[in-house]
Amino acid sequence: MSKIKRLNNLILPQELSSLTIPQCERLCGEIRKKIIGTVMKNGGHLSSNLGTVELTVALHRVFRSPADKIVWDVGHQSYTHKLLTGRYDSFSTLRKEGGISGFCRPEESEHDAFISGHSSTAISAAFGIAEAMRLNGDNHHAIAVIGDGAFTGGLAYEGLNNAGKSKDNIIVILNHNDMSISKNVGAFAKYLTSIRGNTAYLDAKKKVEKILTETPIVGEPLKKFIVASKSALKSVLYHSTMFEDMGFVYLGPIDGHNIAELEEALRAAKKLRCPVFVHVNTIKGRGFSPAENNPGAFHAIPSVGYNKENPDNNVTDAFSEVFGKKLSSLADNDSSICAITAAMKYGTGLQHFAAEHSDRFFDVGIAEQHAVTFSAGLAKSGKIPVFAVYSSFLQRSYDQLIHDAAIDNTHIVLGIDRAGFIGDDGETHQGLFDIPMLLTIPNTAIYSPSTYSELEMCLECAVYLEEGIAAVRYPKGEETVTVGETDSDSYLLKNNGSNKLAISYGRIIHNLYNAAGSDTDVLKLVKIYPIDEEVKAICMNYSEIYFFEESSRSGGIGERLLAGLYQKGYKGKFVITAVDGFVKQADLSSCMEKYGLSENGMRKILEKVGSEKRAT
Amino acid sequence: MSKIKRLNNLILPQELSSLTIPQCERLCGEIRKKIIGTVMKNGGHLSSNLGTVELTVALHRVFRSPADKIVWDVGHQSYTHKLLTGRYDSFSTLRKEGGISGFCRPEESEHDAFISGHSSTAISAAFGIAEAMRLNGDNHHAIAVIGDGAFTGGLAYEGLNNAGKSKDNIIVILNHNDMSISKNVGAFAKYLTSIRGNTAYLDAKKKVEKILTETPIVGEPLKKFIVASKSALKSVLYHSTMFEDMGFVYLGPIDGHNIAELEEALRAAKKLRCPVFVHVNTIKGRGFSPAENNPGAFHAIPSVGYNKENPDNNVTDAFSEVFGKKLSSLADNDSSICAITAAMKYGTGLQHFAAEHSDRFFDVGIAEQHAVTFSAGLAKSGKIPVFAVYSSFLQRSYDQLIHDAAIDNTHIVLGIDRAGFIGDDGETHQGLFDIPMLLTIPNTAIYSPSTYSELEMCLECAVYLEEGIAAVRYPKGEETVTVGETDSDSYLLKNNGSNKLAISYGRIIHNLYNAAGSDTDVLKLVKIYPIDEEVKAICMNYSEIYFFEESSRSGGIGERLLAGLYQKGYKGKFVITAVDGFVKQADLSSCMEKYGLSENGMRKILEKVGSEKRAT
């Protein structure tokens, strides 16, 4: 075999199709090595990417990207795609500031047909692309690659429902590994598993069709077949799978690690020129035994401090841990407390609750809409539901929060995890919109603890002291250095009788405490909304106010406080330092620095303002 | 038959079960009469309510509300339920201020188990209730009644996926009438229709089971059966419907106008004590021939000016009409323009576009999430998608707007219909959150025309002058009296060199124009966001600003303008008059009055402020 056939020397994706199957297999080995090496260094998604290596190679051999459009759902399985489409050299910058994204980004490459990060969007996006192709007289294909986990989200079903009635060249590839992030849930997952095992499907179909055509009297042969293979018969006689009921031609299940078999199915799908559903069985973590054996633990690898020997010992999301343990302990004494997660049991620290109170623990799949409406249903029957969810995924519940909870002032508690900067996952995962979003909803209270102990207190307040929607928001990762014991009876952490007040909430209060000089008083908010009248009264004593928030500026707490103070006649300086626009991937400290929320950044803002003042 | 058996004399719902079937049938006639009479007077939903009379009577005979919980999806079919649960006497106040709601409101009656108004929520809510019942050791049933239209929404599927794997007493009743508001769409609808016709299902099942059990050799009888009834066989041999694949016992299809048949099925469902799916065929508009013949036109009846003879001639939503016609005319000259609706073709005025440009018109079902992601897919392939949607339903697209459109600055246009007060539909349908919601999303522009001609201009601007998300919001109903020809080159409608400025946008600008005395200048915003720097510059010339908006205050344009002016050093008076909290049903003028947005209300605010000023 010549040198040119190696990953770094091929002209990709074009030359892929010139390789033999064995050459492809060797290439897959190279790809896996590259992915494992990079992820262990940079962090990122491991199991999902190792599971889709052969599928991606086969896709790029059968289809011609970027003319054919491949839409990766979530995009955390797109590393092989990136390596095959011009990003081999930059792959070492994966998830680094200025580097390539861990998800699909159209601005990064013309081969990234659609942005990704959140689940269950791919079919809808690919169908939009397919309809545009039809209108443009373009005969290429739109392909959605979507995991069974993403099928727990209603948007995937809405996409299927629309695409299935079309005559477009749309191919939906189910990447079926029985996992979303932890074990996949729901009736549909059970259904998929029931057809996953049916490896004889394609053969059986031919066989039974033959029998039905050639046998004049249906007798012993058919009877035997019924006894031997009821489900195959069902799959054959008329319609068969749910996907055929939804208008798709169903091909599968295919061995997702057999390139020849994958190519055969994909070529068939390509020829059909109608909505086709290809069911591909893959093994998450394939080719890396620690990940194969424990795909959940190897789903996402953080960039530093990862214990590769025993991933279960990696407790890096410590706010989540504290939240999960506290909730479980509250539930020990209160049988009305229920916990809900949207496929993030471990990510949100709810494994403790699940272990202790399994009958009151609900993993609803990647279904944030359902999670809220379901919670409201629990609440209407006397339960106290606590939905733990990442900030950016809560965006999907906006209507349900308003319609199913807030209007009726139904008491549901939100544990908003990953609030604030999220670091290397980038724009799609930043937790910067939860506050502006919730501030638009009446009957809502928000707490933003800065330490573990405050988180415990806030959770208790949200559960027992509030009505309506009560949210507790806390960041990804661990508690940072504390500012010393806070007197919980006072808002002011520093009170020098200055005329200059700096305000913040959440973890950045520590930065502020250190940044504020002796000429600056410091006020910490913990219950950030509704804003306490006492806070406004304190503010009225100052002539300069500097508000810092690790949140989107537009519609945030700072603007709300300003409006409130203005009504009271405040006419002093009011400077808001917050986040504008979408925040690209970068490590936490870089994000903090960029938006003036680091200790240094805050000091500059406070001092610059001071010097401005001296100048006038 | 004694007098006590009449609707107004029965003790309901208790005495329902003592009636004979013929007595029930007579009662259904009474109910229909009452509904038709009231709706023709008060406005409201007609076709859907006439279709569910027998179903509701049967439900209340078999189940014991409020111990058994009936959750009505959308709730626009709950009038019979209201008449049977203590609201006969107050029924004449339907949709009136202070009266009973046209949807379910738990605060109105303990028989309204869950709030309703938006589609596809019932299964999730009922499942939450069912799980609470299980945890409470309560053996009653939770019942979701949901139309086939609502099944186009992904939330319904999320609910099914979760409920289907449970062991709860949850019953999902599909009210199948082949319509959402206009003709139902999508692959799933086609699937439902394919099983709807299969009236022999229950009988066939018994018959085939008998054959399979008793015939030692499968021969002629089975063969004949295969030929005669392929789909029945399919439904029988193993699994059958999609619902059984999803974990439900499937009963149906049932004739939804045959009380005895309905009761038999419901009693069977009740006995099963597991997730049961009951497929009920109904006829929308049943018993009122104009509505039966034209159920779409009789879906919702406005409270005044309805042409009962020919509902097609009722053009009451004139902003929608202007929008639809303008969009169609733009599309005449631009093949890249596509129109998308979420089951509201007529409501949004898109019937014109659909007739002229059918290949570029997409009715996606009640699937607002998909509508946005699909639109973004179209846009990525060079199309200009225009999604026309009611303000309150757009709430369901929040995450898709951020994730699938805004981050990548993808150009999609939103026609936000029913923006502002919506009148008699009440809290769930008010269009008051679209602005605060959109203001939280970067890369978004919003136009708010006050007249038909401005709407046409704004739509053109949104389509051609903007990038990213461009929204045009306009109210339900017709153009109100105009303020005379507006000079589009100037922001100021009245410019007397006063130090007092009143600002507004949208239809209430007319009220403001009339309310403002000679001491008040008037500024009209049309592109309301981002706020033009010139507007801020004008504002800086005044010492008093009064901002009026027909929108939620929290996170609205007023607060944003204040923040912007404050940055520029504005220290004058700034009074925002806007909407706080949820707005209950009342006619438009009453809503305007209540929130200080009527001409009178504005005058009072402007004068009161003036007199305050004089006092100080």
Side-chain angles (χ1 to χ4, degrees), chain B residues 544-567:
Chain B
E544 299 179 20
I545 296 175
Y546 306 94
F547 195 96
F548 297 89
E549 55 184 326
E550 190 187 341
S551 166
S552 195
R553 174 197 310 274
S554 188
I557 299 288
E559 289 188 354
R560 203 56 45 92
L561 177 61
L562 172 60
L565 293 181
Y566 204 81
Q567 268 196 316

PDB file of all heavy atoms in Angstrom, chain B residues 544-567:
ATOM      1  N   GLU B 544     -39.127  65.110  29.481  1.00  0.00           N
ATOM      2  CA  GLU B 544     -40.127  64.134  29.945  1.00  0.00           C
ATOM      3  C   GLU B 544     -40.481  63.207  28.786  1.00  0.00           C
ATOM      4  O   GLU B 544     -40.810  63.675  27.703  1.00  0.00           O
ATOM      5  CB  GLU B 544     -41.425  64.829  30.392  1.00  0.00           C
ATOM      6  CG  GLU B 544     -41.254  65.786  31.536  1.00  0.00           C
ATOM      7  CD  GLU B 544     -42.591  66.445  31.890  1.00  0.00           C
ATOM      8  OE1 GLU B 544     -43.655  65.895  31.515  1.00  0.00           O
ATOM      9  OE2 GLU B 544     -42.551  67.519  32.517  1.00  0.00           O
ATOM     10  N   ILE B 545     -40.414  61.910  29.057  1.00  0.00           N
ATOM     11  CA  ILE B 545     -40.770  60.944  28.011  1.00  0.00           C
ATOM     12  C   ILE B 545     -41.809  59.965  28.559  1.00  0.00           C
ATOM     13  O   ILE B 545     -41.663  59.431  29.663  1.00  0.00           O
ATOM     14  CB  ILE B 545     -39.514  60.186  27.513  1.00  0.00           C
ATOM     15  CG1 ILE B 545     -38.536  61.174  26.843  1.00  0.00           C
ATOM     16  CG2 ILE B 545     -39.905  59.075  26.542  1.00  0.00           C
ATOM     17  CD1 ILE B 545     -37.225  60.556  26.433  1.00  0.00           C
ATOM     18  N   TYR B 546     -42.840  59.760  27.783  1.00  0.00           N
ATOM     19  CA  TYR B 546     -43.909  58.814  28.154  1.00  0.00           C
ATOM     20  C   TYR B 546     -43.990  57.746  27.094  1.00  0.00           C
ATOM     21  O   TYR B 546     -44.254  58.051  25.928  1.00  0.00           O
ATOM     22  CB  TYR B 546     -45.241  59.562  28.312  1.00  0.00           C
ATOM     23  CG  TYR B 546     -45.073  60.703  29.269  1.00  0.00           C
ATOM     24  CD1 TYR B 546     -44.775  61.979  28.812  1.00  0.00           C
ATOM     25  CD2 TYR B 546     -45.107  60.475  30.645  1.00  0.00           C
ATOM     26  CE1 TYR B 546     -44.540  63.021  29.688  1.00  0.00           C
ATOM     27  CE2 TYR B 546     -44.872  61.507  31.543  1.00  0.00           C
ATOM     28  CZ  TYR B 546     -44.590  62.782  31.056  1.00  0.00           C
ATOM     29  OH  TYR B 546     -44.339  63.799  31.938  1.00  0.00           O
ATOM     30  N   PHE B 547     -43.714  56.538  27.510  1.00  0.00           N
ATOM     31  CA  PHE B 547     -43.622  55.443  26.550  1.00  0.00           C
ATOM     32  C   PHE B 547     -44.810  54.506  26.749  1.00  0.00           C
ATOM     33  O   PHE B 547     -45.043  54.016  27.848  1.00  0.00           O
ATOM     34  CB  PHE B 547     -42.306  54.683  26.760  1.00  0.00           C
ATOM     35  CG  PHE B 547     -41.952  53.786  25.612  1.00  0.00           C
ATOM     36  CD1 PHE B 547     -41.080  54.221  24.619  1.00  0.00           C
ATOM     37  CD2 PHE B 547     -42.497  52.516  25.493  1.00  0.00           C
ATOM     38  CE1 PHE B 547     -40.754  53.408  23.543  1.00  0.00           C
ATOM     39  CE2 PHE B 547     -42.192  51.702  24.430  1.00  0.00           C
ATOM     40  CZ  PHE B 547     -41.316  52.138  23.445  1.00  0.00           C
ATOM     41  N   PHE B 548     -45.538  54.253  25.687  1.00  0.00           N
ATOM     42  CA  PHE B 548     -46.714  53.381  25.762  1.00  0.00           C
ATOM     43  C   PHE B 548     -46.481  52.159  24.889  1.00  0.00           C
ATOM     44  O   PHE B 548     -46.154  52.292  23.706  1.00  0.00           O
ATOM     45  CB  PHE B 548     -47.958  54.120  25.258  1.00  0.00           C
ATOM     46  CG  PHE B 548     -48.322  55.317  26.088  1.00  0.00           C
ATOM     47  CD1 PHE B 548     -47.799  56.574  25.806  1.00  0.00           C
ATOM     48  CD2 PHE B 548     -49.190  55.182  27.170  1.00  0.00           C
ATOM     49  CE1 PHE B 548     -48.129  57.684  26.576  1.00  0.00           C
ATOM     50  CE2 PHE B 548     -49.534  56.282  27.951  1.00  0.00           C
ATOM     51  CZ  PHE B 548     -48.998  57.539  27.649  1.00  0.00           C
ATOM     52  N   GLU B 549     -46.674  50.952  25.445  1.00  0.00           N
ATOM     53  CA  GLU B 549     -46.567  49.783  24.572  1.00  0.00           C
ATOM     54  C   GLU B 549     -47.601  48.714  24.883  1.00  0.00           C
ATOM     55  O   GLU B 549     -47.898  48.425  26.027  1.00  0.00           O
ATOM     56  CB  GLU B 549     -45.152  49.198  24.524  1.00  0.00           C
ATOM     57  CG  GLU B 549     -44.496  48.807  25.807  1.00  0.00           C
ATOM     58  CD  GLU B 549     -43.029  48.339  25.580  1.00  0.00           C
ATOM     59  OE1 GLU B 549     -42.744  47.729  24.535  1.00  0.00           O
ATOM     60  OE2 GLU B 549     -42.198  48.576  26.454  1.00  0.00           O
ATOM     61  N   GLU B 550     -48.136  48.176  23.792  1.00  0.00           N
ATOM     62  CA  GLU B 550     -49.121  47.085  23.895  1.00  0.00           C
ATOM     63  C   GLU B 550     -48.330  45.786  23.903  1.00  0.00           C
ATOM     64  O   GLU B 550     -48.313  45.024  22.951  1.00  0.00           O
ATOM     65  CB  GLU B 550     -50.078  47.147  22.694  1.00  0.00           C
ATOM     66  CG  GLU B 550     -51.269  46.214  22.823  1.00  0.00           C
ATOM     67  CD  GLU B 550     -52.109  46.177  21.543  1.00  0.00           C
ATOM     68  OE1 GLU B 550     -51.991  47.101  20.716  1.00  0.00           O
ATOM     69  OE2 GLU B 550     -52.870  45.196  21.374  1.00  0.00           O
ATOM     70  N   SER B 551     -47.655  45.584  25.001  1.00  0.00           N
ATOM     71  CA  SER B 551     -46.740  44.446  25.134  1.00  0.00           C
ATOM     72  C   SER B 551     -46.422  44.311  26.611  1.00  0.00           C
ATOM     73  O   SER B 551     -46.672  45.215  27.405  1.00  0.00           O
ATOM     74  CB  SER B 551     -45.463  44.726  24.337  1.00  0.00           C
ATOM     75  OG  SER B 551     -44.444  43.815  24.694  1.00  0.00           O
ATOM     76  N   SER B 552     -45.865  43.202  26.972  1.00  0.00           N
ATOM     77  CA  SER B 552     -45.430  43.009  28.337  1.00  0.00           C
ATOM     78  C   SER B 552     -44.334  44.021  28.661  1.00  0.00           C
ATOM     79  O   SER B 552     -43.467  44.290  27.839  1.00  0.00           O
ATOM     80  CB  SER B 552     -44.907  41.578  28.475  1.00  0.00           C
ATOM     81  OG  SER B 552     -44.802  41.222  29.819  1.00  0.00           O
ATOM     82  N   ARG B 553     -44.402  44.607  29.871  1.00  0.00           N
ATOM     83  CA  ARG B 553     -43.444  45.624  30.245  1.00  0.00           C
ATOM     84  C   ARG B 553     -42.043  45.035  30.445  1.00  0.00           C
ATOM     85  O   ARG B 553     -41.044  45.590  30.003  1.00  0.00           O
ATOM     86  CB  ARG B 553     -43.879  46.268  31.569  1.00  0.00           C
ATOM     87  CG  ARG B 553     -42.867  47.267  32.155  1.00  0.00           C
ATOM     88  CD  ARG B 553     -43.135  47.544  33.643  1.00  0.00           C
ATOM     89  NE  ARG B 553     -44.519  47.874  33.865  1.00  0.00           N
ATOM     90  CZ  ARG B 553     -45.028  49.108  33.747  1.00  0.00           C
ATOM     91  NH1 ARG B 553     -44.234  50.124  33.455  1.00  0.00           N
ATOM     92  NH2 ARG B 553     -46.312  49.320  33.951  1.00  0.00           N
ATOM     93  N   SER B 554     -42.045  43.877  31.123  1.00  0.00           N
ATOM     94  CA  SER B 554     -40.779  43.318  31.593  1.00  0.00           C
ATOM     95  C   SER B 554     -39.927  42.854  30.413  1.00  0.00           C
ATOM     96  O   SER B 554     -40.237  41.882  29.740  1.00  0.00           O
ATOM     97  CB  SER B 554     -41.105  42.151  32.522  1.00  0.00           C
ATOM     98  OG  SER B 554     -39.960  41.686  33.141  1.00  0.00           O
ATOM     99  N   GLY B 555     -38.845  43.573  30.164  1.00  0.00           N
ATOM    100  CA  GLY B 555     -37.985  43.230  29.034  1.00  0.00           C
ATOM    101  C   GLY B 555     -38.467  43.797  27.710  1.00  0.00           C
ATOM    102  O   GLY B 555     -38.033  43.358  26.651  1.00  0.00           O
ATOM    103  N   GLY B 556     -39.367  44.767  27.772  1.00  0.00           N
ATOM    104  CA  GLY B 556     -39.922  45.336  26.549  1.00  0.00           C
ATOM    105  C   GLY B 556     -39.071  46.474  25.978  1.00  0.00           C
ATOM    106  O   GLY B 556     -37.971  46.759  26.456  1.00  0.00           O
ATOM    107  N   ILE B 557     -39.615  47.107  24.953  1.00  0.00           N
ATOM    108  CA  ILE B 557     -38.892  48.168  24.260  1.00  0.00           C
ATOM    109  C   ILE B 557     -38.680  49.384  25.172  1.00  0.00           C
ATOM    110  O   ILE B 557     -37.628  50.017  25.144  1.00  0.00           O
ATOM    111  CB  ILE B 557     -39.668  48.612  22.991  1.00  0.00           C
ATOM    112  CG1 ILE B 557     -39.829  47.438  22.021  1.00  0.00           C
ATOM    113  CG2 ILE B 557     -38.972  49.776  22.310  1.00  0.00           C
ATOM    114  CD1 ILE B 557     -38.567  47.026  21.325  1.00  0.00           C
ATOM    115  N   GLY B 558     -39.659  49.672  25.999  1.00  0.00           N
ATOM    116  CA  GLY B 558     -39.547  50.828  26.891  1.00  0.00           C
ATOM    117  C   GLY B 558     -38.327  50.719  27.790  1.00  0.00           C
ATOM    118  O   GLY B 558     -37.511  51.650  27.879  1.00  0.00           O
ATOM    119  N   GLU B 559     -38.191  49.596  28.440  1.00  0.00           N
ATOM    120  CA  GLU B 559     -37.035  49.396  29.326  1.00  0.00           C
ATOM    121  C   GLU B 559     -35.726  49.462  28.550  1.00  0.00           C
ATOM    122  O   GLU B 559     -34.723  49.977  29.042  1.00  0.00           O
ATOM    123  CB  GLU B 559     -37.145  48.050  30.049  1.00  0.00           C
ATOM    124  CG  GLU B 559     -38.244  48.022  31.101  1.00  0.00           C
ATOM    125  CD  GLU B 559     -38.207  46.753  31.943  1.00  0.00           C
ATOM    126  OE1 GLU B 559     -37.387  45.851  31.631  1.00  0.00           O
ATOM    127  OE2 GLU B 559     -38.996  46.652  32.894  1.00  0.00           O
ATOM    128  N   ARG B 560     -35.756  48.928  27.334  1.00  0.00           N
ATOM    129  CA  ARG B 560     -34.541  48.944  26.527  1.00  0.00           C
ATOM    130  C   ARG B 560     -34.166  50.368  26.126  1.00  0.00           C
ATOM    131  O   ARG B 560     -33.005  50.754  26.151  1.00  0.00           O
ATOM    132  CB  ARG B 560     -34.759  48.066  25.276  1.00  0.00           C
ATOM    133  CG  ARG B 560     -33.508  47.536  24.628  1.00  0.00           C
ATOM    134  CD  ARG B 560     -32.648  46.748  25.616  1.00  0.00           C
ATOM    135  NE  ARG B 560     -33.442  45.845  26.416  1.00  0.00           N
ATOM    136  CZ  ARG B 560     -33.680  44.598  26.092  1.00  0.00           C
ATOM    137  NH1 ARG B 560     -33.162  44.108  24.990  1.00  0.00           N
ATOM    138  NH2 ARG B 560     -34.416  43.835  26.867  1.00  0.00           N
ATOM    139  N   LEU B 561     -35.181  51.131  25.760  1.00  0.00           N
ATOM    140  CA  LEU B 561     -34.917  52.525  25.387  1.00  0.00           C
ATOM    141  C   LEU B 561     -34.373  53.301  26.579  1.00  0.00           C
ATOM    142  O   LEU B 561     -33.416  54.069  26.451  1.00  0.00           O
ATOM    143  CB  LEU B 561     -36.197  53.177  24.850  1.00  0.00           C
ATOM    144  CG  LEU B 561     -36.075  54.663  24.478  1.00  0.00           C
ATOM    145  CD1 LEU B 561     -35.035  54.882  23.378  1.00  0.00           C
ATOM    146  CD2 LEU B 561     -37.423  55.247  24.047  1.00  0.00           C
ATOM    147  N   LEU B 562     -34.976  53.089  27.737  1.00  0.00           N
ATOM    148  CA  LEU B 562     -34.496  53.769  28.944  1.00  0.00           C
ATOM    149  C   LEU B 562     -33.017  53.457  29.179  1.00  0.00           C
ATOM    150  O   LEU B 562     -32.212  54.361  29.429  1.00  0.00           O
ATOM    151  CB  LEU B 562     -35.336  53.346  30.158  1.00  0.00           C
ATOM    152  CG  LEU B 562     -34.816  53.839  31.515  1.00  0.00           C
ATOM    153  CD1 LEU B 562     -34.761  55.362  31.583  1.00  0.00           C
ATOM    154  CD2 LEU B 562     -35.662  53.289  32.665  1.00  0.00           C
ATOM    155  N   ALA B 563     -32.656  52.172  29.082  1.00  0.00           N
ATOM    156  CA  ALA B 563     -31.258  51.784  29.306  1.00  0.00           C
ATOM    157  C   ALA B 563     -30.346  52.488  28.302  1.00  0.00           C
ATOM    158  O   ALA B 563     -29.261  52.964  28.650  1.00  0.00           O
ATOM    159  CB  ALA B 563     -31.105  50.267  29.228  1.00  0.00           C
ATOM    160  N   GLY B 564     -30.813  52.553  27.052  1.00  0.00           N
ATOM    161  CA  GLY B 564     -30.003  53.212  26.019  1.00  0.00           C
ATOM    162  C   GLY B 564     -29.855  54.700  26.268  1.00  0.00           C
ATOM    163  O   GLY B 564     -28.766  55.276  26.128  1.00  0.00           O
ATOM    164  N   LEU B 565     -30.955  55.343  26.660  1.00  0.00           N
ATOM    165  CA  LEU B 565     -30.898  56.784  26.920  1.00  0.00           C
ATOM    166  C   LEU B 565     -30.044  57.080  28.146  1.00  0.00           C
ATOM    167  O   LEU B 565     -29.307  58.063  28.182  1.00  0.00           O
ATOM    168  CB  LEU B 565     -32.319  57.331  27.117  1.00  0.00           C
ATOM    169  CG  LEU B 565     -33.239  57.305  25.896  1.00  0.00           C
ATOM    170  CD1 LEU B 565     -34.606  57.906  26.253  1.00  0.00           C
ATOM    171  CD2 LEU B 565     -32.614  58.060  24.719  1.00  0.00           C
ATOM    172  N   TYR B 566     -30.154  56.221  29.129  1.00  0.00           N
ATOM    173  CA  TYR B 566     -29.418  56.447  30.367  1.00  0.00           C
ATOM    174  C   TYR B 566     -27.920  56.460  30.104  1.00  0.00           C
ATOM    175  O   TYR B 566     -27.182  57.279  30.642  1.00  0.00           O
ATOM    176  CB  TYR B 566     -29.768  55.364  31.389  1.00  0.00           C
ATOM    177  CG  TYR B 566     -29.532  55.833  32.802  1.00  0.00           C
ATOM    178  CD1 TYR B 566     -30.461  56.628  33.446  1.00  0.00           C
ATOM    179  CD2 TYR B 566     -28.365  55.507  33.479  1.00  0.00           C
ATOM    180  CE1 TYR B 566     -30.246  57.093  34.733  1.00  0.00           C
ATOM    181  CE2 TYR B 566     -28.130  55.955  34.773  1.00  0.00           C
ATOM    182  CZ  TYR B 566     -29.075  56.747  35.400  1.00  0.00           C
ATOM    183  OH  TYR B 566     -28.855  57.203  36.663  1.00  0.00           O
ATOM    184  N   GLN B 567     -27.529  55.544  29.232  1.00  0.00           N
ATOM    185  CA  GLN B 567     -26.112  55.488  28.833  1.00  0.00           C
ATOM    186  C   GLN B 567     -25.652  56.790  28.209  1.00  0.00           C
ATOM    187  O   GLN B 567     -24.494  57.158  28.290  1.00  0.00           O
ATOM    188  CB  GLN B 567     -25.919  54.385  27.794  1.00  0.00           C
ATOM    189  CG  GLN B 567     -25.551  53.035  28.369  1.00  0.00           C
ATOM    190  CD  GLN B 567     -25.013  52.141  27.273  1.00  0.00           C
ATOM    191  OE1 GLN B 567     -25.583  52.093  26.182  1.00  0.00           O
ATOM    192  NE2 GLN B 567     -23.917  51.453  27.549  1.00  0.00           N
TER     193      GLN B 567
END
